[in-house]
Amino acid sequence: MKPKNDMKNSYPGSEKIYVPGKLYNIQVGMRKVNLTDTVKIIDGKRITRHNDPVYIYDTSGAYTDPKIEIDLEKGLPRLRESWITGRNDVERLSEITSQYGRSRTADKSLDPIRFKNVQLPYRAKKGKEITQMYYAKKGIITPEMEYVAIRENLQNEMLGIKSHITPEFVRDEVAAGRAIIPANINHPEAEPMIIGRNFLVKLNTNIGNSALSSGIEEEVDKALWSCRWGGDTLMDLSTGDNIHETREWIIRNCPVPMGTVPIYQALEKVNGKAEGLTWEIYKDTLIEQCEQGVDYFTIHAGVLKAHAELVGERLTGIVSRGGSIMTKWCISHNQENFLYTHFDEICEIVKQYDVALSLGDGMRPGSIHDANDRSQFLELDVLGELTQKAWAHNVQVIIEGPGHVPMQKIRENMDKQLTSCHEAPFYTLGPLTTDIAPGYDHITSAIGAAMIAWYGTAMICYVTPKEHLGLPNREDVRNGVIAYKIAAHAADIAKGHPGAQVRDDALSKARFEFRWKDQFNLSLDPERALEYYKEGSKNDG
Amino acid sequence: MKPKNDMKNSYPGSEKIYVPGKLYNIQVGMRKVNLTDTVKIIDGKRITRHNDPVYIYDTSGAYTDPKIEIDLEKGLPRLRESWITGRNDVERLSEITSQYGRSRTADKSLDPIRFKNVQLPYRAKKGKEITQMYYAKKGIITPEMEYVAIRENLQNEMLGIKSHITPEFVRDEVAAGRAIIPANINHPEAEPMIIGRNFLVKLNTNIGNSALSSGIEEEVDKALWSCRWGGDTLMDLSTGDNIHETREWIIRNCPVPMGTVPIYQALEKVNGKAEGLTWEIYKDTLIEQCEQGVDYFTIHAGVLKAHAELVGERLTGIVSRGGSIMTKWCISHNQENFLYTHFDEICEIVKQYDVALSLGDGMRPGSIHDANDRSQFLELDVLGELTQKAWAHNVQVIIEGPGHVPMQKIRENMDKQLTSCHEAPFYTLGPLTTDIAPGYDHITSAIGAAMIAWYGTAMICYVTPKEHLGLPNREDVRNGVIAYKIAAHAADIAKGHPGAQVRDDALSKARFEFRWKDQFNLSLDPERALEYYKEGSKNDG
């Protein structure tokens, strides 16, 4: 295993800057795009005018900082470790506590693919509460909270742009459950970020190998490029071999929070047979992943046995993999979903590491025909009930959403989520606004994603052109991320996020003045813009 | 000049069918997608269930009819000619009447690139009115009106889907100016189609060579592929050499209505100097193009001298080429825009051929910063005034719109257009919902296009990935058309167009049942879906 190290390059025309905290000794990374002067000839004289640099929200972490050495075999600097240990409420374990994790560690045959520089995990001290939600409710502003407040504002203060986003506001939103800061104490490499509808819209990318496909290198490569193009979080949905080892590589090198769907790995442990799943195997998987540093878990706890009957009304049944697994389990055992019945225990586990819960939508519609139907909305009510349970444990929660929803039903879906789930952040896959464009579903869904994000969705999960057809390669990840950056940014502008339009205005001015390089450097994908420009010029020449 | 003839191929799994008229002896072409059976194993028995075929709106004309021979050097069958001559209100001219057209005909050096099979043009008999709007106001249902009524419904009646679209409804919408049927009597090859907000959303594609780029072959090729992928109309924006000859080739082989911006060609005739433009040169250009068969003209008659002053308020001034040309003319001559002052004469000319007017938005915003500003909305009021003038001549009218508009301002723009322009159909470029994604503006704008079409825009003008960067090649045309088919279809569903969801439901059912071929055949771009599937399977294998 030798991952490629070609991630180490800067954005063109840009430099990495750090904005210091006022409450804490923190340094918030941003990208500064330096612009050329405007040149005009007035009355035969050459007049130049300075153009202010533009500050851009940067998800690429250390990879674009020329001062930090990158070594994928060592992992990223552990940015948050001192903040975490400084609170005196966690302890370092003397060994990992999941059975599965131990058995993998003991297995010498895995040495060639293993990430070498593994650290022992942290966990809350007995009797201590350590989640960001707990601190927020206690009125405490953590370094993480100040970090995201600075990060969300870019340089608004310097530019004289008023902003509602202060460290106090961040704290209050997290306390109210309207926003989360996914920040497992065992993923101190990640830069803090916030997911909530009163903040910048975030986007998640999915990667992951399947039984027969790509290896660790390719997954790490896609993960890092996802961050470079602008992914705010990353879900590893691997179902193939060596999930545990792949995840370690990704987490140790990942500057953004990472999520998983633990039931996928649990299912691998019982050889793919849903009936074979047990609470014990699942619980061990949760602990295994908590101790590796997964920042949020998708938990399909809202798929109830009673819902299975409603599925007959649908055109496309259950398309959520997690939903389908749990329904199969409920039916074969004639028992209630064990994720639902053990939900309190799940909270008890994850709160010790500050892992957030992403309540999965097992009844997500797989076609516009099934959008906003009974199955979907009944599940949403259950997710609302679970949200309050999790909050009682001070566990941070987001709610997953569809899927396929035609435009005229998007607002209803958003409003229903806010009511049913007590304003917990919504995290939607798309939604796709039509079903007829396989090969282009990054576009069918970017339309829905932009709209639902404007209406209040906090994070949108990308869809690549390969959706429904196959697993994405690196270029598909790029196309998916950029489509979703567009959707998220269009929504930020529509919502009036402070300073969101600065970049648009600077780019448009550059375009109008034929400052091509500035136009490219300010764009979401400078390399692509330049490539098309050259191709177009060749056509023209 | 030998255009490629590779257009002659059918859509996979599909056949061309024709639905006969009830009022007239007409045959409306459609695409019928035949599906395989659903196969289920129930109690060990193999049960098959039939799946009904799906009918799809087809813009590819004769190119996908194996029974019709295609010869680009001869041009398409003249479908509408007998309908037109049967009305006894047009006459065939003994020669073309534009000076420019005559000089090109006389120029032997053009023989090698000339389309050979040119027919003499038709024109209204003296004192006769021949526009579809005129007929509609008189209470007449033309074959064109019955044709579009059948075409819009696909096979709704057979499927038991109720529809408001009858020939009478079409007539009433055209009479009210809420819809147009662009149908120059000199483009009888085109299949009638309707543009109006109570019908299917249409999409336009732009092609055209520039001074230094592609030749006739490439433009014809792009035009035909645009129709194959689903473009409803086509604008030829050529500015290079041999515009007249290129246009002839395209029109004679184009199964959809074609539009132009005559000022572009007029400008070529005065060597690119806006000051040199005169009404006489422009008028001759109009006649030249009317007699070739252009179905609608973009006319920037709403850019007034007084508006030029307001442009100082803008970030990106005037980005419409037509708007910029006419503003330059107004300023250099210190006179009112001659397209405005001669507007009645323009109507007098175009009504003799039933060419529709697309009132250009010379003040279209070139950045989201300038969206919905004074310049834009003042011009819209002028366009409303001109709409009523044109209607007094029974000239059909659509109104062009932006451009760049952030999501939260799209509804206001649509509402303002409906009020200011008396419900004349809106025809918008995008709009782009953010400025920061050069290289991906088919996506930034598909978001805006889907929304504005849902709110009431009748036709959306595509944007390709090369927007702002260079001229599109065939692959860019493909990506632009499909992105806009998605936007248009998402809007049709949101508006509840009768039967619009039939295709989505059939495709989703096929997907759910793993009938892969049916899924591909029902998709907007079957070749692309299949290609990605194979690529994905290879990754998986």
Side-chain angles (χ1 to χ4, degrees):
Chain A
M1 163 69 204
K2 180 73 191 157
K4 296 171 213 157
N5 263 322
D6 69 342
M7 267 300 291
K8 186 71 196 189
N9 53 36
S10 300
Y11 297 103
S14 302
E15 56 184 302
K16 191 85 164 185
I17 63 146
Y18 292 91
V19 178
K22 289 174 182 170
L23 306 175
Y24 290 99
N25 180 23
I26 56 175
Q27 298 287 330
V28 181
M30 290 176 193
R31 176 176 156 208
K32 180 185 179 190
V33 185
N34 295 305
L35 304 180
T36 60
D37 289 343
T38 296
V39 179
K40 282 188 182 164
I41 309 294
I42 298 176
D43 299 331
K45 273 189 205 148
R46 191 171 179 279
I47 311 285
T48 63
R49 284 205 192 99
H50 174 72
N51 288 297
D52 287 333
V54 173
Y55 299 90
I56 295 183
Y57 192 99
D58 189 355
T59 54
S60 65
Y63 294 97
T64 50
D65 184 339
K67 295 192 200 80
I68 302 178
E69 199 198 335
I70 295 293
D71 181 346
L72 296 181
E73 311 224 352
K74 281 189 187 151
L76 289 172
R78 294 167 69 87
L79 170 74
R80 282 199 312 127
E81 191 162 35
S82 63
W83 314 354
I84 294 161
T85 54
R87 289 191 276 254
N88 283 320
D89 47 15
V90 303
E91 59 187 358
R92 192 156 220 165
L93 300 176
S94 57
E95 55 177 349
I96 57 178
T97 68
S98 70
Q99 291 198 353
Y100 187 80
R102 288 180 189 175
S103 74
R104 297 299 283 192
T105 307
D107 185 344
K108 295 280 172 213
S109 76
L110 296 169
D111 284 352
I113 60 161
R114 210 191 300 277
F115 179 84
K116 302 284 182 310
N117 192 24
V118 181
Q119 312 271 320
L120 283 170
Y122 291 100
R123 192 174 66 189
K125 285 182 184 163
K126 217 170 182 99
K128 291 284 182 190
E129 300 240 25
I130 64 152
T131 69
Q132 293 292 321
M133 186 179 216
Y134 169 79
Y135 300 135
K137 286 183 183 171
K138 288 283 167 203
I140 298 166
I141 294 172
T142 61
E144 287 85 348
M145 295 174 199
E146 188 188 23
Y147 191 102
V148 301
I150 295 169
R151 196 173 187 189
E152 292 278 318
N153 278 307
L154 298 168
Q155 292 287 46
N156 280 333
E157 197 178 338
M158 205 176 74
L159 300 170
I161 295 169
K162 265 188 78 169
S163 172
H164 60 281
I165 302 171
T166 60
E168 290 75 18
F169 181 79
V170 169
R171 177 194 61 201
D172 296 348
E173 290 289 292
V174 171
R178 277 193 298 269
I180 73 164
I181 299 175
N184 185 331
I185 53 173
N186 291 313
H187 187 197
E189 298 91 346
E191 297 180 349
M193 53 81 73
I194 193 161
I195 302 168
R197 75 179 194 282
N198 296 316
F199 300 93
L200 286 162
V201 174
K202 304 305 186 298
L203 78 95
N204 174 71
T205 69
N206 292 331
I207 59 159
N209 59 349
S210 71
L212 298 160
S213 81
S214 56
I216 292 177
E217 287 104 305
E218 192 179 338
E219 294 315 306
V220 172
D221 180 68
K222 282 193 277 189
L224 303 192
W225 277 97
S226 157
C227 297
R228 181 186 161 78
W229 285 314
D232 292 289
T233 70
L234 185 74
M235 289 193 80
D236 175 16
L237 305 183
S238 292
T239 57
D241 293 335
N242 308 319
I243 298 181
H244 182 89
E245 289 68 32
T246 306
R247 187 163 49 231
E248 191 73 35
W249 276 102
I250 296 174
I251 294 177
R252 299 286 75 84
N253 287 294
C254 188
V256 304
M258 196 183 88
T260 61
V261 187
I263 202 82
Y264 291 0
Q265 193 188 0
L267 192 71
E268 299 288 320
K269 294 177 183 175
V270 295
N271 303 313
K273 293 212 179 339
E275 314 82 89
L277 285 166
T278 63
W279 162 244
E280 286 66 32
I281 287 168
Y282 187 80
K283 180 180 165 182
D284 193 65
T285 307
L286 288 186
I287 296 170
E288 171 200 347
Q289 298 196 12
C290 283
E291 294 187 353
Q292 281 191 299
V294 174
D295 298 283
Y296 62 95
F297 289 148
T298 293
I299 312 264
H300 295 91
V303 188
L304 300 191
K305 192 158 69 78
H307 295 172
E309 288 167 28
L310 298 176
V311 170
E313 297 171 2
R314 293 191 139 181
L315 180 66
T316 51
I318 301 180
V319 299
S320 149
R321 185 154 184 260
S324 155
I325 294 166
M326 293 319 299
T327 302
K328 208 177 272 180
W329 189 91
C330 290
I331 292 172
S332 69
H333 290 268
N334 194 25
Q335 281 181 30
E336 193 51 277
N337 180 344
F338 66 77
L339 301 174
Y340 181 79
T341 55
H342 289 270
F343 192 73
D344 278 310
E345 287 163 82
I346 293 172
C347 293
E348 291 291 350
I349 293 166
V350 300
K351 69 190 290 188
Q352 298 178 68
Y353 307 90
D354 198 6
V355 174
L357 296 186
S358 182
L359 299 179
D361 55 336
M363 292 295 164
R364 134 182 131 230
S367 56
I368 60 169
H369 178 279
D370 294 343
N372 294 16
D373 73 350
R374 280 206 296 169
S375 315
Q376 190 195 340
F377 281 173
L378 277 174
E379 183 185 35
L380 211 45
D381 290 335
V382 180
L383 300 186
E385 182 195 315
L386 297 171
T387 298
Q388 290 186 310
K389 272 198 181 190
W391 286 349
H393 291 279
N394 297 322
V395 169
Q396 305 187 94
V397 176
I398 54 179
I399 309 291
E400 295 187 12
H404 296 240
V405 186
M407 284 197 290
Q408 81 279 13
K409 293 190 175 176
I410 291 177
R411 169 78 78 173
E412 181 195 24
N413 199 159
M414 185 67 233
D415 290 349
K416 169 79 182 156
Q417 187 274 338
L418 286 175
T419 320
S420 295
C421 299
H422 321 288
E423 302 190 57
F426 205 20
Y427 163 33
T428 63
L429 178 70
L432 285 71
T433 52
T434 156
D435 302 342
I436 66 171
Y440 299 84
D441 278 332
H442 59 311
I443 301 177
T444 63
S445 67
I447 294 169
M451 289 176 65
I452 206 163
W454 173 26
Y455 298 157
T457 284
M459 182 156 79
I460 47 184
C461 180
Y462 89 159
V463 169
T464 78
K466 289 275 169 60
E467 183 75 15
H468 300 117
L469 301 170
L471 286 179
N473 59 27
R474 191 210 266 186
E475 194 59 23
D476 296 319
V477 171
R478 179 186 195 174
N479 283 310
V481 172
I482 302 294
Y484 273 67
K485 284 298 285 183
I486 289 169
H489 186 71
D492 288 334
I493 289 170
K495 294 200 301 182
H497 184 90
Q501 207 179 304
V502 169
R503 186 176 180 181
D504 294 75
D505 293 350
L507 188 147
S508 290
K509 186 166 186 278
R511 178 178 285 154
F512 193 63
E513 295 171 353
F514 298 99
R515 289 183 282 116
W516 287 100
K517 271 196 183 166
D518 289 347
Q519 187 191 154
F520 301 151
N521 294 344
L522 285 165
S523 74
L524 285 179
D525 187 347
E527 289 84 2
R528 174 62 46 84
L530 181 62
E531 174 197 335
Y532 282 179
Y533 174 74
K534 283 185 180 166
E535 206 179 301
S537 313
K538 203 172 57 189
N539 280 352
D540 253 356
Chain B
M1 163 70 203
K2 179 74 189 157
K4 296 172 212 156
N5 263 323
D6 69 342
M7 266 300 291
K8 185 71 196 192
N9 54 37
S10 300
Y11 297 103
S14 303
E15 56 184 303
K16 190 85 162 188
I17 62 148
Y18 291 92
V19 178
K22 291 175 181 169
L23 307 175
Y24 291 98
N25 180 23
I26 56 175
Q27 298 287 330
V28 181
M30 290 175 193
R31 175 176 156 208
K32 180 185 179 192
V33 185
N34 295 304
L35 304 180
T36 60
D37 289 342
T38 296
V39 179
K40 283 188 183 166
I41 309 294
I42 298 177
D43 298 331
K45 274 190 205 146
R46 191 170 178 278
I47 311 284
T48 63
R49 285 207 190 98
H50 174 71
N51 288 297
D52 287 333
V54 173
Y55 299 90
I56 295 183
Y57 193 99
D58 189 356
T59 54
S60 64
Y63 294 96
T64 50
D65 184 341
K67 295 192 199 79
I68 302 177
E69 199 198 333
I70 295 291
D71 181 346
L72 296 181
E73 310 225 352
K74 280 189 188 150
L76 290 172
R78 292 165 73 85
L79 169 73
R80 282 202 310 129
E81 190 161 34
S82 63
W83 315 354
I84 294 162
T85 55
R87 289 190 276 253
N88 283 318
D89 50 13
V90 303
E91 60 188 356
R92 193 156 220 162
L93 301 176
S94 56
E95 56 176 350
I96 57 176
T97 67
S98 70
Q99 290 198 351
Y100 187 80
R102 288 180 190 176
S103 75
R104 297 298 284 191
T105 307
D107 186 344
K108 294 282 172 212
S109 77
L110 297 170
D111 284 352
I113 60 161
R114 210 190 300 278
F115 180 82
K116 301 284 182 309
N117 191 24
V118 181
Q119 313 271 319
L120 282 170
Y122 291 100
R123 192 174 65 190
K125 285 182 185 163
K126 217 168 180 103
K128 291 285 183 188
E129 300 241 24
I130 62 150
T131 69
Q132 294 290 323
M133 186 178 216
Y134 169 78
Y135 301 134
K137 284 183 184 170
K138 287 286 166 198
I140 298 167
I141 294 172
T142 61
E144 287 86 349
M145 294 172 199
E146 189 189 20
Y147 191 103
V148 301
I150 295 170
R151 196 174 188 188
E152 293 278 317
N153 278 308
L154 298 168
Q155 293 287 47
N156 280 334
E157 199 179 335
M158 205 175 74
L159 300 172
I161 296 169
K162 264 188 79 170
S163 172
H164 61 281
I165 302 171
T166 60
E168 291 74 20
F169 181 78
V170 169
R171 177 196 60 201
D172 296 349
E173 290 290 292
V174 171
R178 277 194 297 270
I180 72 164
I181 299 176
N184 185 332
I185 53 172
N186 292 312
H187 187 197
E189 299 90 347
E191 297 180 350
M193 54 79 73
I194 193 162
I195 302 167
R197 75 180 195 281
N198 296 316
F199 301 93
L200 286 162
V201 174
K202 303 306 184 299
L203 79 95
N204 174 73
T205 68
N206 293 331
I207 58 158
N209 60 349
S210 71
L212 298 160
S213 81
S214 57
I216 292 177
E217 286 105 304
E218 192 180 338
E219 294 314 306
V220 172
D221 181 69
K222 281 192 277 188
L224 304 191
W225 278 97
S226 155
C227 297
R228 182 187 161 76
W229 285 316
D232 292 288
T233 69
L234 187 73
M235 289 194 80
D236 175 16
L237 305 182
S238 292
T239 57
D241 292 336
N242 309 318
I243 298 180
H244 182 87
E245 290 67 32
T246 305
R247 188 162 50 229
E248 191 73 35
W249 276 102
I250 296 173
I251 293 178
R252 298 287 74 86
N253 288 293
C254 188
V256 304
M258 197 184 90
T260 61
V261 187
I263 202 81
Y264 290 0
Q265 193 189 0
L267 192 72
E268 298 289 320
K269 294 177 183 176
V270 296
N271 302 314
K273 293 212 179 341
E275 314 83 87
L277 286 165
T278 64
W279 162 242
E280 285 68 31
I281 286 167
Y282 187 80
K283 180 181 165 183
D284 193 65
T285 306
L286 287 186
I287 295 170
E288 172 200 346
Q289 299 196 8
C290 283
E291 295 187 353
Q292 281 190 299
V294 173
D295 297 283
Y296 62 94
F297 289 146
T298 294
I299 311 264
H300 295 92
V303 188
L304 301 190
K305 192 158 68 79
H307 296 172
E309 287 167 26
L310 298 176
V311 170
E313 296 171 2
R314 293 190 139 183
L315 180 66
T316 51
I318 301 179
V319 299
S320 149
R321 185 152 184 261
S324 155
I325 294 166
M326 292 320 300
T327 302
K328 210 178 270 179
W329 188 91
C330 291
I331 292 172
S332 69
H333 289 270
N334 194 25
Q335 281 179 31
E336 192 51 277
N337 180 345
F338 66 79
L339 301 173
Y340 180 79
T341 56
H342 288 270
F343 192 73
D344 279 309
E345 288 163 82
I346 291 172
C347 293
E348 290 291 350
I349 294 166
V350 300
K351 68 190 291 189
Q352 298 178 69
Y353 308 89
D354 199 5
V355 173
L357 297 185
S358 183
L359 300 180
D361 55 335
M363 292 295 166
R364 127 179 138 236
S367 56
I368 60 169
H369 178 278
D370 293 344
N372 295 14
D373 72 350
R374 279 208 295 169
S375 314
Q376 190 195 339
F377 282 173
L378 277 174
E379 183 186 34
L380 210 46
D381 290 334
V382 179
L383 300 185
E385 181 195 315
L386 296 173
T387 298
Q388 291 185 309
K389 273 199 182 192
W391 286 350
H393 290 281
N394 297 320
V395 168
Q396 304 188 93
V397 175
I398 54 179
I399 309 291
E400 294 187 12
H404 295 240
V405 186
M407 285 198 288
Q408 80 278 15
K409 292 190 177 178
I410 291 177
R411 169 77 80 174
E412 180 195 25
N413 199 159
M414 185 67 233
D415 291 348
K416 169 78 180 156
Q417 187 274 339
L418 286 175
T419 320
S420 295
C421 299
H422 321 288
E423 301 192 58
F426 205 20
Y427 163 34
T428 62
L429 177 71
L432 285 71
T433 51
T434 156
D435 302 342
I436 65 171
Y440 298 85
D441 278 333
H442 59 311
I443 301 177
T444 63
S445 67
I447 295 169
M451 290 177 65
I452 205 162
W454 173 26
Y455 298 157
T457 284
M459 183 156 78
I460 47 184
C461 180
Y462 88 162
V463 168
T464 79
K466 289 276 167 60
E467 183 75 15
H468 300 118
L469 301 170
L471 286 179
N473 59 26
R474 191 210 266 186
E475 194 59 22
D476 296 319
V477 171
R478 179 187 197 173
N479 283 311
V481 171
I482 302 294
Y484 273 67
K485 284 297 285 180
I486 290 168
H489 186 71
D492 288 333
I493 289 171
K495 293 201 302 181
H497 184 90
Q501 208 179 304
V502 170
R503 186 176 181 180
D504 293 75
D505 292 351
L507 189 149
S508 290
K509 186 165 184 281
R511 178 179 285 154
F512 193 63
E513 294 172 352
F514 297 100
R515 289 183 283 117
W516 287 99
K517 272 198 183 163
D518 289 348
Q519 187 191 155
F520 300 152
N521 294 343
L522 285 165
S523 73
L524 285 178
D525 188 347
E527 289 85 3
R528 174 64 45 87
L530 180 62
E531 174 198 333
Y532 282 179
Y533 174 74
K534 284 185 179 165
E535 206 179 301
S537 311
K538 204 173 56 192
N539 279 354
D540 252 357

